Amino acid sequence: MSDQNYIIAPSILASDFARLGEEVRNVLDAGADWVHFDVMDNHYVPNLTIGPMVCEALRKYGIKEFIDVHLMIDPVDDLAQNFIKAGADLISFHPEASKHIHRSIHAIKDKGCKAGLVYNPATPLNTLESVLDDLDLVLIMSVNPGFGGQSFIHNSLEKIAQVRKMIDNSGRDIRLEVDGGINNETIGLASEAGADTFVAGSAIFNTENYEQTISELRSKIV
Ligand code: DX5
Ligand code: ZN
């Protein structure tokens, strides 16, 4: 799905929302690969963030890079379509937030957008087997979704390793993303377990020099 082996995807949840366009431009110019766009509805998760209008505004501002939309919302389908219109490149959602997972995936893919499924620390992987071949990305949460700045849950490493095996056995080009508590210490563990795409919010946006932070993170990938 991507020429690059490893993707760094800063979560804009930790950015300065008052200067969002500038923050996104700066972090991409500093070497980030994707923009990770966290959507929360105060229903599926106990927090409320940003919707398709903000995604569209980033496109209008001139952001042409890959926008990785992480939906933490229930229901999924209507807003997913709105995000496609707003310029999302990939939309991932939590399987328990959709009644018909296969339908939700294909409603996204039919519009030419990439699709991913997201698993929380306590969500079993049993839904993955039947739809893995349809996916462009699997996202393993290493925190419970809803907030930035939480500590990495180490049990997620086992889940990453399990999904890595499933992806390798499938022989398909599917990215394995990890999200939550990624920093200089945990990025190495997640990559060792098999992740190739790394979301980091506070570890990047709470520092002064994004370029230095991103290259440090990249250097810890094993
Ligand atoms: C949590 C979000 C994450 C979050 C990551 O629900 O999905 O993307 O912003 O933030 P950090 O890297 O600070 O844990
Ligand atoms: Zn996220």
Side-chain angles (χ1 to χ4, degrees):
M1 183 176 133
S2 166
D3 297 343
Q4 256 183 287
N5 287 341
Y6 297 108
I7 297 284
I8 304 277
S11 160
I12 58 174
L13 192 59
S15 70
D16 179 354
F17 275 129
R19 299 186 299 112
L20 184 59
E22 197 186 321
E23 284 273 73
V24 170
R25 188 67 268 145
N26 288 344
V27 86
L28 290 166
D29 289 349
D33 304 294
W34 290 2
V35 179
H36 184 79
F37 193 108
D38 284 306
V39 185
M40 304 184 186
D41 66 351
N42 194 36
H43 171 67
Y44 178 72
V45 288
N47 200 358
L48 185 65
T49 60
I50 45 180
M53 286 166 71
V54 178
C55 183
E56 197 181 351
L58 288 177
R59 289 301 188 210
K60 283 192 179 142
Y61 181 78
I63 302 300
K64 297 201 169 27
E65 286 85 346
F66 197 95
I67 300 186
D68 166 32
V69 173
H70 175 192
L71 297 181
M72 287 160 273
I73 62 169
D74 179 355
V76 168
D77 295 339
D78 287 352
L79 267 179
Q81 293 302 311
N82 292 345
F83 268 103
I84 295 169
K85 288 185 202 125
D89 291 293
L90 183 146
I91 295 176
S92 55
F93 63 92
H94 291 248
E96 63 276 32
S98 168
K99 285 203 177 75
H100 306 283
I101 299 167
H102 181 273
R103 177 182 287 152
S104 296
I105 292 169
H106 286 278
I108 294 168
K109 297 202 60 157
D110 286 354
K111 297 279 163 57
C113 187
K114 294 182 166 61
L117 270 187
V118 193
Y119 291 86
N120 289 333
T123 310
L125 294 170
N126 55 352
T127 45
L128 192 52
E129 210 171 305
S130 40
V131 291
L132 183 67
D133 285 357
D134 301 322
L135 295 174
D136 299 290
L137 174 143
V138 179
L139 169 51
I140 299 300
M141 292 305 297
S142 38
V143 298
N144 287 298
F147 303 94
Q150 304 181 80
S151 302
F152 188 86
I153 296 172
H154 284 256
N155 287 356
S156 63
L157 293 171
E158 176 55 33
K159 204 174 253 178
I160 292 169
Q162 258 176 282
V163 178
R164 169 48 59 205
K165 274 194 205 131
M166 291 171 77
I167 291 175
D168 288 350
N169 289 340
S170 80
R172 301 184 81 95
D173 185 16
I174 302 166
R175 297 212 73 96
L176 177 45
E177 186 173 44
V178 58
D179 183 5
I182 291 293
N183 56 34
N184 275 341
E185 274 86 56
T186 54
I187 195 168
L189 301 173
S191 66
E192 229 172 340
D196 56 30
T197 303
F198 306 91
V199 176
S202 44
I204 294 175
F205 285 107
N206 291 355
T207 62
E208 291 294 320
N209 187 333
Y210 298 162
E211 192 171 347
Q212 193 187 325
T213 306
I214 291 169
S215 71
E216 263 172 39
L217 281 170
R218 232 186 257 287
S219 74
K220 308 281 178 179
I221 297 172
V222 291

